Amino acid sequence: MLKLEGKKVVVVGGGKVAERKVTGLIGTGSLITVISPNATDELKGLAGSGRIEWLEKSFAKEDIDGAFLIFAATNDSKLNQLIKNAVSDQQLVTIADDPEGSDFHVPAHIQRGRLSIAVSTGGASPTLARKLREQLEQQFVQEFEDYLEFLFSARQRVLKEVKEASRKRKILSAIASEEFLNSQNREADFLRLLQNTRNDV
């Protein structure tokens, strides 16, 4: 889990693999540059709308100057290794056809508001990782987004208002229960919980 806001990310390649990498980066706030003489229609569309920069050219070492992350996502193994060798010690690179030689892996990922779940097989089977992600998408439906927002605001209030450590633990444990997930009126239940635990002290 990396905060990529404002960071330069370079994706070398313009095919379907590169497209998957780029679409996974959209929304991170990173500054995405694609380096490739050709690109898929999806990548061209993203470049046309200004969401990414597309340099319609072959890779050159200076293309990765100042990049935080580099994705070697071409269909040419020799070029991917050339990109890897051009990376400095301060940069991280992932190579589409060489997971063992990569500095990092991009897991299959689902997002439900503040809830973020990543699945990785360590490069053994991206297909299995995608299947597991699809199963998790069915399990963690959209209601988790509202629940996480409730947990966030409730936790802030508990940390601010509740001084006793044992009472704090009791409340935080209670609101993370299935009862609160399925509650039809979490706010009222939460206020009741605050009052009841206050009376217990």
Side-chain angles (χ1 to χ4, degrees), residues 11 13-14 18-19 22-23 26 31-57:
V11 179
E19 181 185 301
V22 169
T23 53
I26 296 292
L31 309 174
I32 307 163
T33 301
V34 171
I35 312 291
S36 180
N38 305 296
T40 65
D41 290 340
E42 175 75 14
L43 290 173
K44 288 176 182 175
L46 289 169
S49 65
R51 300 185 75 186
I52 67 170
E53 181 183 16
W54 173 33
L55 301 183
E56 198 174 343
K57 61 187 281 298

Side-chain angles (χ1 to χ4, degrees), residues 107-160:
H109 178 244
I110 68 167
Q111 193 80 35
R112 293 287 185 264
R114 293 178 182 274
L115 178 65
S116 182
I117 302 174
V119 180
S120 174
T121 59
S125 178
T127 303
L128 176 59
R130 280 196 298 275
K131 287 181 178 178
L132 291 172
R133 183 201 67 205
E134 288 165 5
Q135 290 174 18
L136 288 166
E137 283 174 336
Q138 301 304 314
Q139 183 179 348
F140 293 94
V141 291
Q142 209 61 41
E143 70 189 60
F144 272 84
E145 190 166 337
D146 295 335
Y147 180 48
L148 264 290
E149 284 304 320
F150 159 75
L151 287 176
F152 178 78
S153 60
R155 182 172 185 270
Q156 298 309 305
R157 182 168 175 184
V158 169
L159 294 177
K160 185 178 178 182

